[in-house]
Amino acid sequence: MKIFKRMIPIILVFFFFVALLSSLILYSFYQIQATTQRLIVSRRIVEDTFNLSYLTQDYLANPSQRIKFQWDVTYLKFRRGTNELEKESLSPRAKNLVEKITDKGLSAKHYFSLIAFSMEEETGLLTDSGRKDLGRAISVDLHQMASSVFTLENIFREEFLVVQRRVGIWFLGIIFIFFLVFIGFIYRLFREIRYRAESQKKLSEVNEKLRLVDRLVEFTGDGAYRYNYDEGVILSANQGFADILELGCSYKDLIGKQLEDVLCYLEEPGTIRKLIEKKGSIRAYPYHFKTLSGKNKWVLHNSFLVKDRNGKKIIEAIITDITEKRKIEQKSRFLAGILDSAPLSVIATDQKRKIIYVNPATEKLFGYSQDELIGKDPMILNAEPDREEIEDEIVGILKKGGVYTRRLTDRKKDGSLFKVEMTIYQLKDKKGNFIALVGFQKDVTQEIKIQEEIRESEIKFRNIFEKAGSAIFVSDPETGNILDCNRQAEKLMGMPREELVGIHQSQLHPEADKERYKKVFKEHIEKGAGNFQGKIRDKEGKDKPVWINAKLFVFGEKKLLVGFFTDLSQRFELERKEKEVIKASVKADTEQAKAQELEKAYNQLKATQDRLVEAEKLAALGKLSGIVAHDLRNPLAVIRNSVYILRKNFAGSKDSTVIKYLQLLDEEIEVADSIIEEVLSFTRIKNIKLSSFDLNEIIDKVLTKVTIPDSIRIEKKFNSNIPKMQADKEQLQRLFTNIIRNAKEAMEGQEGKLTLKTDCKDKTVLVEVSDTGIGINEDNAGKIFEPMYSTKIQGTGLGLPACKNIIEAHKGSIYVESKEGEGTTISVVLPLSPGSGD
Amino acid sequence: MGQKGKIIVADDNPGIRQTFSDLLGNEGYTVETVANGYQLLDYLRDNQADLVILDLMMPEKDGLETISALRSIAPQVKVIVYTAFGRYENSLYAKEADRFLLKTESPDTVLASIRELLD
């Protein structure tokens, strides 16, 4: 049926042409018939003309009524013929001829009537010759008539031929058009058949593709569904969709339900619809929702907007569940974050011992950039002379699946050596396949140095302890048990140390006095010290008089009670009097001096330990402060921007308090910024970036940065002949800014003088900054370089320690000279170039 | 409004987004804000922009990854890295950006940089 529908235009055109041509042909037939009729009429007129001519001749020769009558009848026939022609629509030329013929006919009739009249009435008006003349005139008229009729006949014949030819052409045309239409029809039919075959093929291909898509979607577990744009009603879905929603039902149960009934929106409802409305489709859009069971889900949304047959909008969507993938991504980002921020150097190598990963701490520790290390053998970092053996050792241990740890000397990029603690293990996947060798390097230079110092002071302490003239017992004040004792103590008691350690201190004394000693010890612990004369009982049960000097030492949580015992028995044998007791006490005083020496050594030990604790504290601080500073800078930026906006809005305001408080806010933001910067610059362990510059210029530049009030006079004693020095310009600026700012703050609110002196000596430069301010209390002088120590209300306590770090990084030294109430002089000595100070 | 150029502020801190939105809006810029790198890239995939103010440390997709992705999607967009981390100043990623500004800079400095980049 469809074919015929498509053929209708062709058929219509066909009929139109057929109708047109047939009417033309009909019209031509009519014309042919009319022309034929005219020919017949003109032939008759010719005959009549000839008959008239004959009858005229006959009448002239022999006039008779019969001939006259015949003439008149013939003339009437002739007139009827011409009348017939006059009624026809003729060409102008033919019309002229017909008129001429009619005129001539009329004239002939007049002449003939004249002849006939004169003949019948014998009027004598016409002679014979006159009649002959008239007869001749009639002949001429008739002759002219005949020639005109012939001409007319010829015209009609021509017209007939024209019409005939025209009809022929039209007929041919009809045949041609029939032929064209037929060809068109055949072509159209052929095309229709071919189109049908092709569309059948395409349809089956599309079906195949659709089936493939369905299979793929099922295979990947993606969810596919269609829903109504306006109402959000699910029209169709696959099992994957039901599975992602975790409803535990078949996808068929979802059809007809509202989207909001099968999941909980986390994003604003209609987000997807709005996006699609804008663009027609969305691709890989990360979408977040909650299942009805309360589980967070992330999916990638691919959706298209289509219209159904009724023009209603429908969304077709394919979603991919990426919840697990995201979790893994987040986890790996988290792990990468740990590696990147770890204070330990981490290096990973492949099976061929080429470095495939280093973390930022490695770059910092060794001074190489990541690009310089990747692909290299990690042995270039190792400075141990027997590194080949170490390598074999490592391989051996790792083969057994062990973890290799040892301390080694490593080399930085600049060639300097340092100590690290290295831990290596083999990273394997679950199946036990090799992934990488992972090595952790910890810089232990400082630790080793401190440990050595501790060991040294321990030896020192032990020496004094062992060689002391008195017997010394160290006990735990909580339990009263002896923890340690020296050689003199062994001698006094006649027992080896092993037997003494662990017993209660009251067991040193005679059994009878036990309660008394316990009381005395308690007193000592409460007061922190005490002297008294007592007795000890040695191994053989012999009582000896002793002078006991006890002192309680406190460090941190721990307390130790140390007793110095001086044997008085020899003296007692010589002098048993009270005086001797006094003498003994005098001697005890000298022992006390030794005890003080011991205490000093102990204090040294404690100080070293404190430094170790300090170093750990700083490492922790370093980790924290970076995070804290960053987190503080964000809210500060928000406050700064807000103040800026408010200031713009209140620019024309007459309310001076608003302006004043906005100004105050701005100033305090600056203060907060500088504190953050101070914390950051202290914790930032920067590599020194060397450049060449003039020291005096740097100090002048710092002076322009630190605003010094008019109440302070500045005196410069610069040595202008200092050669250009090599150091980190930025860090030195920070160093002198800190020192000069401290000097200024020491003279806050009073008149004062700031003296700046520079000098150069033996490849070192000296900078002295003196103020006439409040000075530093003797107790505090030792602490000013300790981090977190500050006497300022707003200080972070990191300024001077940062200075010390900078100076140590440059291998220089810093000295403080101060008197409370008179002022402070800080002296900084730095090498002219990093190499020259060694 | 709007003739001066379109700026996208990408920062996880809602306060930064709010204040910049007002501040730049007052200056006559069209401002769009996004909270993370995914949103930024998604936005740029379908929309035009002249400049992006980008924090390097955002959750989801951090700024460092984002810069390289952004350069491939919209190479004509100018990028100002605006961060609290000074130590990234000389990093390879920060050099990819047209400007590196610390969050301690005053809004005037930020505005001046934007003007320089967009004029």
Side-chain angles (χ1 to χ4, degrees), chain A residues 6 10 12 38 103 334 438 470 526 636 640 739 754 834:
Chain A
R6 282 175 204 204
I10 286 187
L12 281 178
R38 265 180 240 160
D103 280 352
F334 170 69
V438 184
S470 307
E526 275 163 14
L636 265 182
R640 183 184 298 104
I739 294 175
L754 176 69

Side-chain angles (χ1 to χ4, degrees), chain A residues 112-266:
Chain A
F112 187 76
S113 300
L114 215 59
I115 293 169
F117 183 72
S118 71
M119 296 271 272
E120 278 167 23
E121 304 294 325
E122 297 284 349
T123 55
L125 286 173
L126 274 174
T127 60
D128 277 354
S129 64
R131 274 199 291 275
K132 271 179 188 166
D133 284 343
L134 273 178
R136 217 171 285 131
I138 291 171
S139 285
V140 170
D141 279 345
L142 288 177
H143 183 74
Q144 281 178 350
M145 258 169 67
S147 80
S148 293
V149 176
F150 278 133
T151 315
L152 189 67
E153 204 181 347
N154 275 337
I155 288 171
F156 288 153
R157 197 164 283 134
E158 271 169 29
E159 278 179 3
F160 178 76
L161 283 174
V162 167
V163 171
Q164 215 177 23
R165 212 178 299 137
R166 201 185 293 155
V167 169
I169 288 170
W170 285 338
F171 197 71
L172 276 179
I174 281 188
I175 289 174
F176 183 65
I177 285 169
F178 263 102
F179 179 70
L180 279 185
V181 168
F182 179 71
I183 296 280
F185 188 79
I186 294 290
Y187 171 71
R188 200 65 215 250
L189 197 69
F190 180 70
R191 236 180 54 171
E192 185 70 30
I193 289 165
R194 212 175 58 178
Y195 172 76
R196 285 212 157 193
E198 266 176 24
S199 41
Q200 198 64 39
K201 204 173 132 197
K202 267 186 194 159
L203 195 68
S204 64
E205 271 173 23
V206 168
N207 276 339
E208 189 55 39
K209 269 185 195 165
L210 278 177
R211 261 200 297 282
L212 183 69
V213 168
D214 278 350
R215 274 207 299 274
L216 275 178
V217 168
E218 288 307 329
F219 179 70
T220 54
D222 286 350
Y225 60 104
R226 311 169 80 222
Y227 64 98
N228 194 310
Y229 179 86
D230 296 313
E231 288 109 42
V233 175
I234 299 168
L235 301 171
S236 59
N238 70 347
Q239 191 54 42
F241 181 58
D243 292 345
I244 289 174
L245 294 180
E246 295 189 357
L247 292 171
C249 65
S250 160
Y251 65 94
K252 287 170 191 158
D253 301 335
L254 297 175
I255 294 165
K257 283 195 178 162
Q258 295 260 323
L259 271 181
E260 58 193 40
D261 292 339
V262 297
L263 56 90
C264 302
Y265 287 118
L266 284 180

Side-chain angles (χ1 to χ4, degrees), chain A residues 625-626 629-630 633 675-684, chain B residues 84 86:
Chain A
S625 57
H630 172 247
R633 272 179 173 177
I675 291 171
I676 291 171
E677 182 53 39
E678 207 168 295
V679 173
L680 278 178
S681 67
F682 178 71
T683 55
R684 219 181 277 147

